[in-house]
Amino acid sequence: MLSPDQLCAIYRTMVRIRCFEERMVELYLQGQMYGNLHTSIGHEAAAAGACAALAREDYLTTGHRGNGHFIAKGGDLG
């Protein structure tokens, strides 16, 4: 069972993913991003929950909608 602190951390990760991807959509619609855009909006819990179960040194690969996994694994958004 997860502690309240762990649940809050997962929720914060989900919000971070959502905010990042909503901004990506804005930039895409403004023509500031090119190519395909496949967001994980609505699927944030899958990335946040899966990555919460991984150790820092664990690797993760994904074939589609990987931005959420990158963020949930602690990737630098800068």
Side-chain angles (χ1 to χ4, degrees), residues 2-61:
L2 298 175
S3 72
D5 287 341
Q6 290 170 311
L7 292 172
C8 284
I10 292 170
Y11 179 73
R12 281 192 300 274
T13 298
M14 291 169 56
V15 171
R16 189 176 308 116
I17 293 167
R18 173 67 65 100
C19 290
F20 178 84
E21 295 209 332
E22 285 178 344
R23 180 66 177 139
M24 283 180 31
V25 169
E26 288 176 15
L27 293 172
Y28 184 80
L29 293 175
Q30 293 171 3
Q32 296 183 31
M33 289 181 60
Y34 303 98
N36 295 320
L37 179 60
H38 300 284
T39 69
S40 60
I41 292 175
H43 303 273
E44 298 88 352
C51 291
L54 299 175
R56 184 145 188 88
E57 64 274 6
D58 288 341
Y59 289 95
L60 172 74
T61 186

Side-chain angles (χ1 to χ4, degrees), residues 60-71:
L60 172 74
T61 186
T62 180
H64 193 58
R65 295 185 168 107
N67 295 325
H69 296 89
F70 172 79
I71 295 167

